Amino acid sequence: MVDMILESTIKCPNCGHQKTETMPTDSCQYFYECESCHVLLKPKHGDCCVFCSYATVPCPPIQQGAGCCAPGP
């Protein structure tokens, strides 16, 4: 079993604001609103969630090597 890292720092590509968040372990997070500029982040093409696209640590399913919990947009 792989030890998962559940905290990741997400960085807004619009304004550069950073915030450390706890990632959900039972679902993917498809949207994230930047608390600074209020832009709505969505996963980049090919990524399953906003943590895989904009954060320092990928989501828990990717860390486990199981693939993401659902296909991305």
Side-chain angles (χ1 to χ4, degrees):
M1 175 149 186
V2 175
D3 287 334
M4 285 190 295
I5 299 169
L6 298 179
E7 289 193 346
S8 189
T9 302
I10 193 162
K11 181 178 180 179
C12 177
N14 187 58
C15 72
H17 178 76
Q18 297 182 46
K19 185 172 182 186
T20 299
E21 298 280 4
T22 300
M23 296 181 282
T25 58
D26 60 347
S27 65
C28 291
Q29 188 163 337
Y30 298 112
F31 303 104
Y32 181 85
E33 182 180 354
C34 175
E35 66 180 22
S36 179
C37 71
H38 302 286
V39 72
L40 186 63
L41 302 181
K42 300 174 194 169
K44 294 178 184 176
H45 182 72
D47 286 341
C48 61
C49 67
V50 293
F51 289 103
C52 288
S53 293
Y54 304 106
T56 55
V57 177
C59 69
I62 295 296
Q63 290 180 52
Q64 291 181 315
C68 202
C69 53

